[in-house]
């Protein structure tokens, strides 16, 4: 497969996998939990869900950075995850604070995917060099 075919196909697959990661870890969560004794409210996501999602996204960014340009991986993953998260959050939040969350998700995803995909590319370049 040529690079001109691999790049758009890779971007499409990466976007689909990113949306899939959101759906698998966070998309099915629908509500907040209230502790009956303390009245404390938590949610909508549990810590293990967020950790699983972050680890999955890190793996996708690393694989993407290995095979594709990090300058493609970071924006594709950032847009795919942020749009998916924001669409769901906007549909379930009456306060309007979902927009603040969307900005935080955008920045965090952009920084994380850029760092991980660049690191993967750097490792690939170093391992590809012949030993001297």
């Amino acid at each position: 497969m040529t690079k001109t075919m691999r790049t758009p196909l890779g971007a499409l697959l990466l976007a689909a996998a990113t949306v899939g990661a959101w759906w698998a870890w966070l998309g099915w969560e629908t509500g907040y939990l209230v502790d009956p004794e303390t009245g404390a409210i938590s949610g909508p996501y549990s810590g293990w869900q967020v950790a699983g999602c972050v680890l999955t996204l890190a793996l996708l960014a690393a694989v993407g950075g290995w095979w594709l340009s990090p300058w493609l991986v970071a924006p594709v993953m950032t847009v795919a995850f942020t749009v998916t998260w924001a669409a769901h959050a906007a549909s379930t939040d009456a306060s309007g604070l979902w927009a603040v969350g969307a900005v935080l998700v955008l920045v965090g995803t952009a920084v994380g995917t850029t760092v991980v995909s660049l690191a993967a590319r750097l490792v690939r370049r170093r391992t590809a060099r012949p030993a001297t």
Side-chain angles (χ1 to χ4, degrees):
M1 181 181 307
T2 65
K3 186 174 182 170
T4 57
M5 286 185 59
R6 185 178 74 191
T7 299
L9 180 60
L12 184 62
L13 290 174
L14 186 60
T18 301
V19 171
W22 176 85
W23 184 256
W25 289 106
L26 307 175
W28 50 271
E29 190 62 66
T30 59
Y32 290 85
L33 299 173
V34 179
D35 186 331
E37 292 190 20
T38 64
I41 300 173
S42 63
Y45 311 120
S46 297
W48 64 269
Q49 288 175 285
V50 175
C53 189
V54 168
L55 291 174
T56 303
L57 292 174
L59 178 65
L60 289 173
V63 170
W66 188 271
W67 292 108
L68 302 167
S69 167
W71 307 118
L72 175 70
V73 171
V76 164
M77 289 186 68
T78 299
V79 169
F81 192 81
T82 303
V83 167
T84 304
W85 184 92
H88 177 72
S91 71
T92 60
D93 178 33
S95 71
L97 288 175
W98 69 268
V100 175
V103 170
L104 295 173
V105 167
L106 178 101
V107 171
T109 306
V111 170
T113 55
T114 301
V115 168
V116 172
S117 62
L118 283 171
R121 177 53 56 107
L122 181 63
V123 169
R124 181 178 182 189
R125 283 187 178 170
R126 290 197 177 187
T127 59
R129 290 184 186 163
T132 55

